[in-house]
Amino acid sequence: MAFFYEEPSHTFGEYLLIPGYTSADCIPEHVTLKTPVVSYNKKAGEEPALSMNIPMVSAVMQSVSDDKLAIALAKEGGISFIYGSQTIEDQAAMVARVKSYKAGFVTSDSNIRPDQTLEEVVELIKKTGHSTIAVTDDGSARGKLEGIITERDFRIDHVPANSKVSDYMTPFKDLITGKDGISLSDANDLIWTHKVNQLPVIDSNNHLVSLVFRKDFDSHETHPLELLDSNHRYIVGAGINTRDYMKRVPALLDAGVDILCLDSSEGYSEWQARALKDIHEKFGKNVKVGAGNVVDREGFMFLAESGADFVKIGIGGGSICITREQKGIGRGQATATIEVAKARDEYYAKTGIYVPICSDGGIVHDYHITLALAMGADFVMLGRYFARFDESPTNKLIINGNYVKEYWGEGSNRARNWQRYDLGGKSGLSFEEGVDSYVPYAGRLHDNVAMTVSKVVHTMCNCGALSIPELQQKAKLTLVSQVTIDEGSAHDVTVKNTSIHS
């Protein structure tokens, strides 16, 4: 006979947090949102190989996560998972663009020889979009540094186009340089002391190692939580499927990807176990791969024991997802998160290995993020939330006098990402499990994420918690009735400015 759960499943909107004691030390400035992303032996005192500074990642979706959004989110301390429903080459190129984006010490991607022409300089600037070009003896990023030339060193319509670079560049003898091994702080001190815009870093033989730019220091001041790897490059993730992973993964690793995620509507399957085994055997345990999605204890245990580095929770809860409507499969996101969190803790108690969990879907309001964290999630995955911003890859339109952005599901006919719904049969999308829609345009990612993070932090202080683990220990949650939900919004008044509720 079929198994029946005695209790109904619940969504985040059915819960509220009960305030806890707030001490004098429990103020927003003291709160940290740092959270692990990949599994580690917590009981042995290990540190996770990868953590985030805010508990937010962007969804593996065509309409959400490309290289532009990945850079913007990494600046705020989170991670984007660049969508995999594109060619291997295109996805790897997106990852490479994130990893080569200027942040801290940068390998020069605009280089030229001193005997080349200003016309070639102009073409190189058009190609790369970078106006500072390193002049090396062989025109490579690691050649002997001869000088620096920028678009401000000449006016192409006032000089012969075939003029030599060597005649207009700032020669090596006049450059301020740093030695390989210099700290970013010392490099920036040199930039400010000598009033230059960039600092070439060279080795003992005067070969170019990297460049440090003044504007990147300014960016770091604006984004103190930015998430960087050991080479001061932005952290980026990528979604993969269970069909072409043995070809896709090496290309993504070559591009510099930091973490991978098996993207599937239902992860409790032999296909995910096979993929995790194959990837870790072929490419090594240091290649980090998340898996999912699951909604119960059994699903979590299966993926954790199969080697998942994190486990994603949620089926049918996304705003553009119609899996529940089409298949009758899924579970309320709050109930799923609570049960999987208990399984995560059970697995940790038994093995000493802490496997982070990600709540994916069902986030409608900012406070739902705090609820998900309090229920045990280590971080949340968001699609609709990020699709609204300037940095998402979709078109900005005017519909009925309002600015909107396009947003569609991976299971829609528009995306046709059949691999995400693959059950091992013939290739192709049998029926839609997602819709094509619009979301209200919301402006810059930086401004919105800052506001969301502020709300999470302030709520944590109301609960007497200064960290996510402390929130999970101290949080008190209550189910609420529909009347209570109605009471929580503005009622029995005429609201003057409805924008405060958008």
Side-chain angles (χ1 to χ4, degrees):
M1 182 179 176
F3 176 80
F4 290 86
Y5 287 90
E6 293 182 4
E7 296 293 327
S9 64
H10 298 284
T11 67
F12 294 131
E14 296 177 80
Y15 284 89
L16 287 175
L17 285 156
I18 303 297
Y21 171 68
T22 304
S23 69
D25 290 330
C26 200
I27 59 176
E29 288 75 15
H30 293 168
V31 174
T32 174
L33 293 178
K34 189 170 184 178
T35 191
V37 180
V38 297
S39 59
Y40 64 107
N41 194 328
K42 185 177 179 181
K43 195 164 286 185
E46 278 185 7
E47 291 293 323
L50 179 60
S51 296
M52 287 188 295
N53 293 325
I54 62 171
M56 300 166 69
V57 301
S58 68
V60 189
M61 299 177 69
Q62 295 174 12
S63 55
V64 178
S65 298
D66 66 353
D67 48 303
K68 185 178 179 182
L69 191 123
I71 292 167
L73 184 52
K75 287 181 178 180
E76 305 305 321
I79 297 174
S80 281
F81 285 87
I82 290 177
Y83 67 94
S85 50
Q86 58 179 319
T87 67
I88 295 172
E89 294 75 17
D90 287 347
Q91 188 185 24
M94 283 190 180
V95 169
R97 286 197 289 272
V98 177
K99 300 306 290 187
S100 65
Y101 186 83
K102 288 177 165 46
F105 296 94
V106 180
T107 299
S108 177
D109 66 353
S110 297
N111 309 285
I112 204 163
R113 297 189 314 275
D115 62 337
Q116 290 183 261
T117 66
L118 296 184
E119 187 175 34
E120 290 174 290
V121 171
V122 172
E123 288 303 311
L124 186 56
I125 291 173
K126 287 180 181 178
K127 178 182 177 181
T128 65
H130 299 149
S131 59
T132 297
I133 298 174
V135 184
T136 60
D137 61 343
D138 61 0
S140 74
R142 297 290 183 180
K144 188 174 182 180
L145 186 63
E146 302 281 349
I148 293 287
I149 189 166
T150 76
E151 63 182 359
R152 295 180 299 277
D153 292 325
F154 62 93
R155 294 171 65 186
I156 194 63
D157 53 346
H158 286 65
V159 298
N162 62 352
S163 299
K164 299 299 182 186
V165 169
S166 56
D167 294 332
Y168 290 87
M169 70 183 187
T170 301
F172 179 81
K173 66 181 180 64
D174 295 332
L175 291 176
I176 304 299
T177 60
K179 291 295 184 183
D180 191 19
I182 189 173
S183 70
L184 186 59
S185 176
D186 287 343
N188 282 308
D189 286 344
L190 283 175
I191 286 173
W192 284 94
T193 299
H194 295 280
K195 299 186 173 83
V196 293
N197 289 317
Q198 71 282 320
L199 181 81
V201 177
I202 57 175
D203 65 15
S204 57
N205 295 316
N206 292 349
H207 284 261
L208 182 63
V209 175
S210 60
L211 295 169
V212 179
F213 290 86
R214 176 193 289 262
K215 70 180 182 64
D216 288 331
F217 179 77
D218 295 338
S219 175
H220 183 71
E221 291 286 285
T222 308
H223 305 93
L225 296 177
E226 62 184 354
L227 199 58
L228 305 172
D229 65 17
S230 58
N231 293 315
H232 304 278
R233 301 175 302 175
Y234 287 125
I235 298 289
V236 63
I240 56 175
N241 62 63
T242 55
R243 286 271 180 161
D244 65 7
Y245 58 88
M246 293 305 284
K247 293 180 180 178
R248 190 172 291 269
V249 169
L252 294 171
L253 293 175
D254 287 345
V257 76
D258 297 284
I259 185 166
L260 302 166
C261 180
L262 285 162
D263 181 41
S264 173
S265 65
E266 206 282 289
Y268 190 6
S269 72
E270 181 180 345
W271 315 114
Q272 291 223 356
R274 284 186 189 180
L276 289 166
K277 180 176 181 289
D278 290 344
I279 291 170
H280 285 138
E281 284 186 354
K282 175 69 175 179
F283 306 108
K285 293 290 185 182
N286 288 333
V287 176
K288 303 302 181 183
V289 190
N293 286 15
V294 299
V295 292
D296 63 2
R297 176 188 179 278
E298 287 77 11
F300 171 84
M301 289 296 186
F302 175 79
L303 291 177
E305 290 164 1
S306 297
D309 288 291
F310 69 85
V311 173
K312 203 145 62 76
I313 310 160
I315 295 176
S319 59
I320 40 67
C321 185
I322 54 173
T323 293
R324 297 179 192 175
E325 180 181 314
Q326 294 282 60
K327 290 181 173 178
I329 293 285
R331 198 177 196 187
Q333 191 66 13
T335 300
T337 300
I338 291 166
E339 181 173 323
V340 172
K342 289 178 180 176
R344 186 264 323 277
D345 294 343
E346 177 188 341
Y347 186 80
Y348 167 62
K350 181 174 69 174
T351 66
I353 306 298
Y354 188 91
V355 181
I357 57 175
C358 168
S359 182
D360 174 21
I363 303 290
V364 179
H365 304 292
D366 288 345
Y367 81 90
H368 289 172
I369 297 174
T370 319
L371 285 170
L373 298 174
M375 291 171 181
D378 295 283
F379 53 99
V380 298
M381 178 171 276
L382 305 159
R384 180 197 61 85
Y385 176 90
F386 287 114
R388 303 172 301 147
F389 304 147
D390 285 322
E391 294 83 356
S392 76
T394 64
N395 294 319
K396 178 182 170 184
L397 308 170
I398 297 179
I399 302 293
N400 296 327
N402 296 310
Y403 282 108
V404 298
K405 293 208 72 176
E406 295 177 299
Y407 180 47
W408 59 91
E410 289 297 291
S412 67
N413 274 326
R414 183 170 185 174
R416 300 204 66 80
N417 181 10
W418 64 269
Q419 293 94 336
R420 189 175 196 276
Y421 304 87
D422 185 19
L423 295 177
K426 295 179 180 179
S427 63
L429 195 66
S430 300
F431 51 86
E432 285 191 285
E433 294 189 44
V435 299
D436 199 339
S437 64
Y438 302 113
V439 288
Y441 168 68
R444 295 172 62 227
L445 181 146
H446 172 71
D447 299 331
N448 285 275
V449 168
M451 178 62 73
T452 298
V453 167
S454 178
K455 291 178 183 178
V456 172
V457 165
H458 281 76
T459 305
M460 287 172 63
C461 288
N462 291 142
C463 296
L466 293 174
S467 67
I468 293 172
E470 190 175 8
L471 175 68
Q472 292 165 351
Q473 289 296 317
K474 292 184 174 181
K476 295 179 290 183
L477 297 106
T478 181
L479 277 166
V480 295
S481 67
Q482 182 58 52
V483 177
T484 304
I485 295 171
D486 295 340
E487 179 187 55
S489 301
H491 58 89
D492 302 313
V493 295
T494 301
V495 179
K496 292 182 178 180
N497 183 7
T498 56
S499 67
I500 63 172
H501 302 289
S502 62

